Amino acid sequence: MTTETPRTLHLNAFLMNAGHHDAAWRHPGSQPERITDLAYFQELARTAERGRLDSIFFADGVALWGKARHNALGGFEPLTLLSAIAAVTEHIGLIATVSTTFNEPYNLARKFASLDHISGGRAGWNIVTSGTVDEARNFNRDEHLEHAVRYERAREFLEVAGKLWDSWEDDAIVLDREAGIYADTDKLHPAAHRGTHFRVAGPLNVPRSPQGHPLLVQAGSSEDGKEFAAQYAEAVFTAQQTLADGQTFYKDLKSRLARHGRTEDELLVLPGIAPVIGSTEAEARRLEQELTDLQVPEYGLAQLSGMLGVDLTGLPLDGRLPDLPEERDINGNKSRFTLVAELARKEELTLRELIARLGAGRGHRVFAGTPEQIADQLQEWFVSGAADGFNIMAPVLPTGLADFVDQVVPILQQRGLFRTEYTGTTLRDNYGLPRPANRYARTAG
């Protein structure tokens, strides 16, 4: 008789400059003057590692997001930053967002293989197709590629990257000094890829890394995004406002895996949550209100305009949203458009109320409460089939992350829901996911 290992949740810290709330930089608990200070991000990473979190994650885009007049925007390229963080941490996973639309597979495969070696097997890639015309205009295009074409390109990009990561077998390096043989070249393989979007010869000029491939993460929740995740992703960062919505998304995504020859435990679903933590519920509500009071409406309207693909400039803040386009006509982030439009419609929110609701999470769930109440929420979603873990989005940094690590994590540990020590050495170990076999290796038998 075998005993199943108890299921435990996974926690990723989504780090964003002064914090996730769009007014965080104005709050005294933040340090916006340090967003180009390496030591600041190294300290945040060590805080997450002190809490035994699975990983840290940086979003990224290749244009300046939002209005820098009203928010602490801009910052480091994440792969560069994570390489420096790798040097001062031992266990925490290091996940970078990189676009398949504005990169080439060879360069990107090389960078992630390098980070995986540098970190001892802690690299992860959050795969995005990019969602804005501003990004396209930084790469010789007047308009963005169509949504479906971006995903078609992304699939081929992943196919090429996989061939490159496997192009050195695990035992290709012989190191026979006496015979003068460094590598068994029979165990080096060309990618020899010729497709619709890419022609890549290979092999990669980096030997196979500790994890074989970086952990593959995806964050799109459109139909294209969910199918892409079911085929390739090992973890999904997603946004749902309610337990019922979380359960529906979780069941839908997991049900798609079988047709790609995968099992449900090969993909982890990690909804985002922005926890506003107070020693009492009233204190948490006060902090939430403080941040709302510090919002700049002009900034919030610009953010909302970007999410919905409609220019809302000059509209009365106490009025409702105007008529919106159909989702099929949106060429940006379809899933976030749908979430925001439905939230506004369902709760009959004014523009002012909608800006306040989106300030901390941009569509991700925001919950204000005591450490126990936040732990209760995480546990409910985890045991009710809505999550395998969570993407923790501290509204204010560094204070919000430290509060979560010092006050919420111990409760989860006491309840047997979260690890008390790291037991593996790689990011895949943290997430309980297998190391991928090399496609070229000959099996014995």
Side-chain angles (χ1 to χ4, degrees):
M1 179 177 160
T2 58
T3 306
E4 279 192 23
T5 305
R7 180 170 168 256
T8 56
L9 58 79
H10 299 283
L11 296 173
N12 171 78
F14 181 176
L15 304 180
M16 183 173 280
N17 285 0
H20 279 271
H21 199 285
D22 59 35
W25 70 278
R26 301 182 69 193
H27 193 275
S30 70
Q31 299 177 356
E33 70 281 2
R34 299 186 69 194
I35 68 169
T36 52
D37 176 2
L38 171 61
Y40 170 67
F41 290 104
Q42 289 177 325
E43 289 162 16
L44 290 172
R46 284 196 291 257
T47 298
E49 189 165 77
R50 175 162 58 78
R52 308 297 189 262
L53 270 61
D54 296 71
S55 49
I56 59 172
F57 155 63
F58 290 98
D60 193 48
V62 285
L64 182 62
W65 288 343
K67 288 181 175 288
R69 180 176 178 85
H70 299 303
N71 201 353
L73 302 174
F76 293 129
E77 186 283 314
L79 278 167
T80 308
L81 176 58
L82 288 169
S83 293
I85 289 174
V88 299
T89 54
E90 294 179 26
H91 301 283
I92 196 88
L94 309 169
I95 302 174
T97 299
V98 188
S99 172
T100 57
T101 303
F102 303 116
N103 282 285
E104 289 289 321
Y106 195 95
N107 282 346
L108 199 59
R110 185 187 190 200
K111 289 175 182 177
F112 272 108
S114 298
L115 178 61
D116 207 46
H117 279 291
I118 288 166
S119 64
R122 295 185 281 139
W125 175 18
N126 178 44
I127 305 156
V128 297
T129 64
S130 299
T132 70
V133 70
D134 287 342
E135 292 172 291
R137 289 172 183 168
N138 287 334
F139 288 85
N140 303 308
R141 294 181 180 276
D142 292 326
E143 296 298 333
H144 205 0
L145 289 177
E146 289 295 322
H147 192 270
V149 175
R150 297 202 302 271
Y151 274 98
E152 177 189 290
R153 178 187 165 98
R155 285 188 175 85
E156 189 177 335
F157 197 114
L158 263 289
E159 183 184 345
V160 179
K163 290 175 180 177
L164 291 168
W165 288 321
D166 284 347
S167 62
W168 292 62
E169 293 185 37
D170 288 313
D171 57 353
I173 296 175
V174 177
L175 269 180
D176 187 337
R177 289 183 171 90
E178 190 174 326
I181 298 173
Y182 174 73
D184 179 350
T185 49
D186 289 339
K187 295 187 176 183
L188 269 62
H189 304 276
H193 181 89
R194 296 181 71 87
T196 304
H197 299 278
F198 304 108
R199 289 186 294 172
V200 180
L204 196 62
N205 58 355
V206 182
R208 199 161 195 252
S209 70
Q211 292 190 112
H213 302 182
L215 182 82
L216 300 179
V217 183
Q218 200 266 348
S221 299
S222 65
E223 278 303 306
D224 285 331
K226 286 186 284 192
E227 274 304 303
F228 185 86
Q231 187 171 358
Y232 295 107
E234 296 165 292
V236 167
F237 296 150
T238 184
Q240 279 85 42
Q241 289 283 324
T242 68
L243 175 62
D245 287 344
Q247 290 169 322
T248 299
F249 178 85
Y250 186 95
K251 184 177 180 181
D252 178 16
L253 189 56
K254 297 273 186 171
S255 72
R256 297 170 187 250
L257 292 165
R259 62 175 168 266
H260 296 288
R262 305 179 66 195
T263 59
E264 291 193 7
D265 58 1
E266 292 179 60
L267 174 62
L268 303 173
V269 177
L270 307 173
I273 183 168
V276 184
I277 304 170
S279 59
T280 64
E281 189 173 342
E283 184 181 301
R285 297 282 180 204
R286 275 197 302 275
L287 173 56
E288 188 174 37
Q289 189 60 49
E290 282 173 21
L291 291 165
T292 297
D293 292 343
L294 291 171
Q295 283 188 295
V296 178
E298 183 185 340
Y299 181 86
L301 269 183
Q303 289 288 94
L304 190 55
S305 297
M307 289 182 198
L308 296 175
V310 173
D311 186 2
L312 305 172
T313 308
L315 290 181
L317 289 173
D318 293 313
R320 300 281 166 80
L321 278 176
D323 291 339
L324 298 176
E326 295 292 325
E327 183 193 293
R328 63 175 178 271
D329 298 323
I330 295 294
N331 194 34
N333 186 328
K334 288 180 182 287
S335 56
R336 195 55 50 89
F337 166 87
T338 302
L339 187 150
V340 172
E342 287 183 355
L343 175 66
R345 188 163 49 241
K346 195 180 298 182
E347 300 193 22
E348 300 183 342
L349 301 176
T350 65
L351 289 176
R352 190 188 306 277
E353 291 166 338
L354 189 54
I355 289 167
R357 285 289 297 273
L358 297 173
R362 300 175 309 285
H364 290 274
R365 186 159 176 258
V366 179
F367 185 84
T370 65
E372 290 80 7
Q373 288 173 323
I374 289 164
D376 289 345
Q377 289 292 308
L378 301 185
Q379 182 169 356
E380 182 181 20
W381 281 51
F382 179 64
V383 301
S384 301
D388 296 306
F390 298 90
N391 198 17
I392 305 302
M393 304 165 58
V396 179
L397 289 172
T399 50
L401 178 62
D403 288 346
F404 183 85
V405 162
D406 294 332
Q407 298 174 36
V408 181
V409 167
I411 296 169
L412 298 172
Q413 291 170 330
Q414 288 161 14
R415 295 180 184 181
L417 294 168
F418 191 62
R419 69 170 67 84
T420 54
E421 293 296 339
Y422 291 106
T423 55
T425 59
T426 70
L427 176 52
R428 290 180 177 281
D429 291 339
N430 290 352
Y431 279 111
L433 294 167
R435 184 178 189 270
N438 188 302
R439 73 189 67 199
Y440 299 114
R442 291 173 292 280
T443 54

